[in-house]
Structures are given as C-alpha cells and as structure tokens.
Amino acid sequence: MKTISGQLQIETKGYSDIIDITSEVEEALKESKLRAGIISIICSGSTGALTTCEYESGLIEDLKRFFEKVIPENEAYHHNERWGDGNGFSHVRASLIGPSLTVPFNEGKLNLGTWQQIIFIDFDNRPRDRKIHLQIMGE
Ligand code: ZN
C-alpha cells in the first residue's frame, strides 16, 4: 500500500462560498496512479467545511438559505464578544458540517454518484486563501 499527499490551493469569497472541487480531487487521484483505496480530504481552518451535493445553482442557493436560517449571521455569539472578529456564525456552521471527507475509489475512480460533487464551503466573513490537504492511500 502507498500513501501520497497532495494539496489544493483555493481562493474564496467567504460568506458560505460553495466551491466544487471534484475535478481537482480527481486530478490528484489520477496523478497518484493508485487504482483502489481511499482519499481523505481536510480543510485546515476552523471556518471551512467539506461535504458533497448536487452542484447546481438552485441547490447552492437552498444550502445558503438553510445555513442563514439555522445559524444566522446576526445573532449574538460568545465568540464575537471574546474575539471581535464577527465570525461566530462561520465557526458554528463549519463545525456543523465538518472539516473533512473520506471517499473510497476503485479502478482509479471516486465512488461518487453521477450527480454528486465534492464541495468546499468557506463560511468565514471575508475572502480567504485556503489550503485543502489530500491524503491518498491505496494500491
Ligand atoms: Zn473567529
């Protein structure tokens, strides 16, 4: 078994910016030349999150509306009182979704559905330069 590490660099707009990173992950998998195994993906940063969805504009808006409804930006957050950076909502949203994702692959292809993409969500309240780490394990 082999382990190969990689990294994606992503510029975001913040404010629940939802970015499809599927093709970048597929590219890293292709470069690894591994055929079967798992790929672990993690965003380093406590206001970013990873999950999957059908990446289409309707659903992107639905997700943004859901985040604002469940965890509104303009609530009182203890984090904001302590740090004054105003991104309490970003941290709570990111913790809810989670920072990482593990996807198995076979015959060199990710085991994703046809209408399922890997998305990175930047919940922070400002544009960010993000690093996403990939760890590909397999043979
Ligand atoms: Zn903060």
Side-chain angles (χ1 to χ4, degrees):
M1 198 188 80
K2 267 192 185 171
T3 302
I4 292 160
S5 305
Q7 217 179 65
L8 306 178
Q9 202 95 22
I10 296 178
E11 280 179 33
T12 79
K13 298 189 204 79
Y15 289 102
S16 300
D17 195 7
I18 300 177
I19 296 163
D20 180 2
I21 62 166
T22 315
S23 59
E24 285 86 347
V25 175
E26 281 171 344
E27 189 56 37
L29 179 59
K30 197 172 151 194
E31 279 171 23
S32 79
K33 302 214 169 25
L34 298 178
R35 304 295 298 162
I38 56 169
I39 181 159
S40 172
I41 314 164
I42 186 162
C43 151
S44 47
S46 60
T47 51
L50 284 163
T51 184
T52 70
C53 81
E54 179 179 343
Y55 196 86
E56 60 86 16
S57 57
L59 191 59
I60 298 308
E61 285 316 305
D62 291 335
L63 282 169
K64 289 182 180 185
R65 196 168 65 177
F66 168 80
F67 296 133
E68 181 54 33
K69 191 172 173 185
V70 178
I71 306 164
E73 180 182 350
N74 294 316
E75 287 267 332
Y77 292 93
H78 295 291
H79 176 74
N80 296 349
E81 280 167 36
R82 284 186 159 245
W83 293 92
D85 56 0
N87 69 355
F89 72 105
S90 317
H91 288 285
V92 177
R93 290 178 189 183
S95 293
L96 178 73
I97 303 301
S100 69
L101 198 66
T102 302
V103 184
F105 58 93
N106 285 291
E107 290 163 17
K109 288 204 158 52
L110 297 170
N111 293 150
L112 293 171
T114 311
W115 309 110
Q116 183 181 26
Q117 281 77 42
I118 301 171
I119 52 171
F120 171 68
I121 310 174
D122 198 326
F123 287 117
D124 215 341
N125 60 354
R126 61 190 171 93
R128 298 284 308 254
D129 251 322
R130 295 291 195 173
K131 272 198 184 81
I132 293 173
H133 302 272
L134 309 173
Q135 195 88 353
I136 310 173
M137 289 153 283
E139 49 194 19

